[in-house]
Amino acid sequence: QVQLVESGGGLVQAGDSLKLSCAASGRTFSVHAMGWFRQAPGKEREFVAAIDWGRGNTYYADSVKGRFTISRDNAKNTVFLQMNSLKPEDTAVYYCAACRIPAAMADYDQEYEYDYWGQGTQVTVSS
């Protein structure tokens, strides 16, 4: 089992930046990639970004490309999501997820690739 705990959410204004963290514990050696998803009120959960845990390759949703950056600290078993130039439409609960089975980077935008999920952290961007 892998436990994931997100932190760093909050209320910011449009144009501001925010950095989310996701700390993994437990059988972290089994993790091959980690991702961030988000769910806005009344909408389905959607992919934001993913990172290959070993090589550090990254993959982003078009809606956040150029504004968000995913990174990881292997020594601390932590993945980050740096969010810049935030927009009101970025308002959502952000979830961290981890997967055990290697896949193509382009497949990491699918929820079914992930085995473990965090509880989520709220990000609210006011206009």
Side-chain angles (χ1 to χ4, degrees), residues 37 99 107 109-115 117:
F37 287 75
C99 70
D107 290 338
D109 61 356
Q110 300 299 313
E111 290 190 38
Y112 62 73
E113 292 289 349
Y114 295 87
D115 304 285
W117 293 83

Side-chain angles (χ1 to χ4, degrees), residues 50-73:
I51 188 165
D52 178 284
W53 198 248
R55 292 169 292 179
N57 295 336
T58 58
Y59 182 51
Y60 296 94
D62 288 342
S63 59
V64 305
K65 201 173 295 183
R67 298 189 298 124
F68 291 9
T69 302
I70 188 170
S71 61
R72 91 271 194 236
D73 183 332

Side-chain angles (χ1 to χ4, degrees), residues 7 15 19 24 27 36 41 45 75 84 116 118 121:
S7 61
K19 187 173 185 177
R27 300 174 63 87
W36 287 96
R45 189 157 57 186
N84 298 329
Y116 307 103
T121 185

Side-chain angles (χ1 to χ4, degrees), residues 11-51:
L11 171 63
V12 297
Q13 293 186 331
D16 284 352
S17 298
L18 204 59
K19 187 173 185 177
L20 305 182
S21 300
C22 174
S25 61
R27 300 174 63 87
T28 57
F29 60 86
S30 66
V31 173
H32 283 273
M34 294 186 72
W36 287 96
F37 287 75
R38 66 186 182 186
Q39 187 167 21
K43 294 187 177 181
E44 293 188 353
R45 189 157 57 186
E46 64 175 4
F47 169 75
V48 175
I51 188 165

